[in-house]
Amino acid sequence: MTVWDDLVGQDRVREQLAAAAKDADALVTAVSDGKPLEQGSKMTHAWLFTGPPGSGRSTAARAFAAALQCTSPDRALGGEPGCGFCDGCHTSLIGTHADVQVIRTDLLSIGVKETRDLVRRAQLSPAVGRWQVIVMEDADRLTEGAGNVLLKAVEEPAPRTVWMLCAPSLEDVLPTIRSRCRHLTLGTPPVEAVADVLIRRDGVDPERAHSAARATQGHIGRARRLATDERARARRAAVLKVPLRIADVGGCLKAAQELIDTATDDAKQMAEEVDAKETEDLKAALGGVAGGRMPRGTAGAMKELEDKQKRRKTRTQRDSLDLALTELTGFYRDVLALQLGSRIAIANVDVQDSLDRVAESSTPAQTLRRIEAVIACRRAMDRNVAPLLAVEAMTMSLRAG
């Protein structure tokens, strides 16, 4: 099992990264630190991975990071880096390698302070590995100020430091940053490839694996969750009933409220799992006593943690709502395919009766307007419109058609 095995349906990207890892290995082996890269080398100091959600952007970046740290003796015999078994590969993949920093955020944005800390780390020489690797999974969440801080580090990289940025599209990254990165585009993996991974790696029943892969239209993370989490399946089933529950104004308002309540419950559940432990850990670090008063001067740190937890809860609620809206878009996409007699595969075959009912009772023009209403709702929430108002407006538009 190599480090590339989880990179599903991305053969071209895999080939490019494997070639770059081989050049990087030759460079570290043959050239002393601080020398420029060889002419024509496929390796460079900054990479930008883009692709639709679920395409495996962060998976590709982590696999590449592991290949750069590979210490397999087979390399000396002409083998490619990225064996998946050596200490460098293993620790990189599980997140414990001292020279591989993976940055992901559960907040709405990545600020200047966090980015400055990263830039300082990037100036260090590798401690135990062959490269200092910074993987930023949510580069699209950098604020403008944070992007400007990062630009300097990408523009003038330290020797043997590699930046790997992940974002949905080129437009989500500052032009000045993306112009200094080597760009790799990942596509949506084929349904069969996603199902194969679920069966092979997660031990999912083949029928359920194919159903989840088809329902999520090739989104690896969502497919895994749908195949392994009963609660996720129940939530999806409830979302796909919305088009049949909006026959009157009351049904629209009730459906909207239930979507918001479900997203709020998801955020609350995550908060209960994480917030209490974070708070207790910080209190202990600041010298607090269980059940007693906190030492003087610690109120600011506690308030900062509370603000962070509040922002994370907002992000979780928005992500849950966005997933529901994505599933609604998929439903109406299937309806449109039926109305137009398209040969494309239907994603939501488990609700075929509902698809047929909506397709027979409406026109393709109405279906397109409904898809536009869902997209408008997502845009409204991006502009910080109150979620309930945005979803209510959407359900009313879905009813009007």
Side-chain angles (χ1 to χ4, degrees), residues 282-283 285-289 292-302:
L282 182 59
K283 284 182 177 179
L286 295 175
V289 180
R293 304 182 85 180
M294 292 295 294
R296 282 190 170 189
T298 60
M302 295 301 299

Side-chain angles (χ1 to χ4, degrees), residues 47-347:
W47 297 78
L48 176 58
F49 298 83
T50 65
S55 58
R57 301 183 303 257
S58 58
T59 300
R62 288 195 300 268
F64 187 32
L68 292 180
Q69 305 292 10
C70 183
T71 56
S72 168
D74 292 341
R75 294 174 297 108
L77 303 175
E80 290 189 353
C83 65
F85 295 102
C86 71
D87 185 65
C89 288
H90 179 67
T91 54
S92 297
L93 291 175
I94 66 173
T96 59
H97 197 290
D99 295 314
V100 178
Q101 179 83 357
V102 179
I103 309 302
R104 61 176 69 88
T105 182
D106 47 15
L107 304 179
L108 296 174
S109 62
I110 300 174
V112 172
K113 181 177 180 296
E114 302 98 302
T115 308
R116 281 181 178 150
D117 291 340
L118 277 180
V119 170
R120 279 194 290 269
R121 178 190 173 99
Q123 299 303 313
L124 302 175
S125 297
V128 296
R130 301 166 69 78
W131 296 86
Q132 178 80 251
V133 182
I134 313 289
V135 178
M136 185 173 287
E137 294 189 354
D138 301 296
D140 54 308
R141 296 188 183 273
L142 286 165
T143 63
E144 185 175 353
N148 290 329
V149 171
L150 179 63
L151 174 61
K152 187 69 173 175
V154 174
E155 214 169 22
E156 300 176 5
R160 300 245 305 267
T161 292
V162 182
W163 289 90
M164 301 183 191
L165 311 180
C166 305
S169 69
L170 283 173
E171 288 68 29
D172 292 310
V173 181
L174 287 176
T176 48
I177 292 179
R178 67 185 188 231
S179 65
R180 289 162 175 80
C181 298
R182 184 165 298 171
H183 179 216
L184 292 178
T185 304
L186 287 78
T188 301
V191 168
E192 287 299 323
V194 174
D196 178 65
V197 168
L198 295 179
I199 296 167
R200 173 172 49 83
R201 187 178 58 189
D202 300 303
V204 177
D205 175 74
E207 184 177 349
R208 177 169 289 178
H210 282 88
S211 176
R214 185 170 53 246
T216 56
Q217 300 177 54
H219 189 300
I220 302 171
R222 283 173 48 208
R224 181 178 294 112
R225 184 180 177 191
L226 194 61
T228 58
D229 187 347
E230 182 62 38
R231 188 168 177 268
R233 291 194 289 273
R235 185 190 54 72
R236 172 178 173 269
V239 170
L240 295 183
K241 290 178 182 177
V242 168
L244 300 179
R245 299 176 54 208
I246 52 175
D248 53 40
V249 173
C252 291
L253 299 181
K254 185 177 180 181
Q257 185 64 62
E258 288 178 359
L259 287 175
I260 295 297
D261 289 344
T262 300
T264 303
D265 289 344
D266 283 347
K268 184 178 179 181
Q269 183 184 24
M270 177 173 283
E272 288 175 350
E273 294 172 355
V274 179
D275 290 3
K277 185 178 185 306
E278 279 185 347
T279 302
E280 290 304 315
D281 288 348
L282 182 59
K283 284 182 177 179
L286 295 175
V289 180
R293 304 182 85 180
M294 292 295 294
R296 282 190 170 189
T298 60
M302 295 301 299
K303 180 66 167 59
E304 184 178 349
L305 177 61
E306 289 172 6
D307 290 342
K308 175 185 174 183
Q309 291 172 343
K310 185 177 180 181
R311 293 195 302 273
R312 180 169 60 205
K313 187 175 180 180
T314 300
R315 161 84 187 272
T316 304
Q317 183 186 33
R318 288 188 183 181
D319 285 351
S320 180
L321 265 178
D322 192 65
L323 177 56
L325 298 180
T326 299
E327 287 165 344
L328 268 180
T329 305
F331 180 93
Y332 285 115
R333 169 255 192 201
D334 286 347
V335 169
L336 187 63
L338 290 174
Q339 290 172 329
L340 298 177
S342 172
R343 294 183 179 179
I344 64 172
I346 299 299

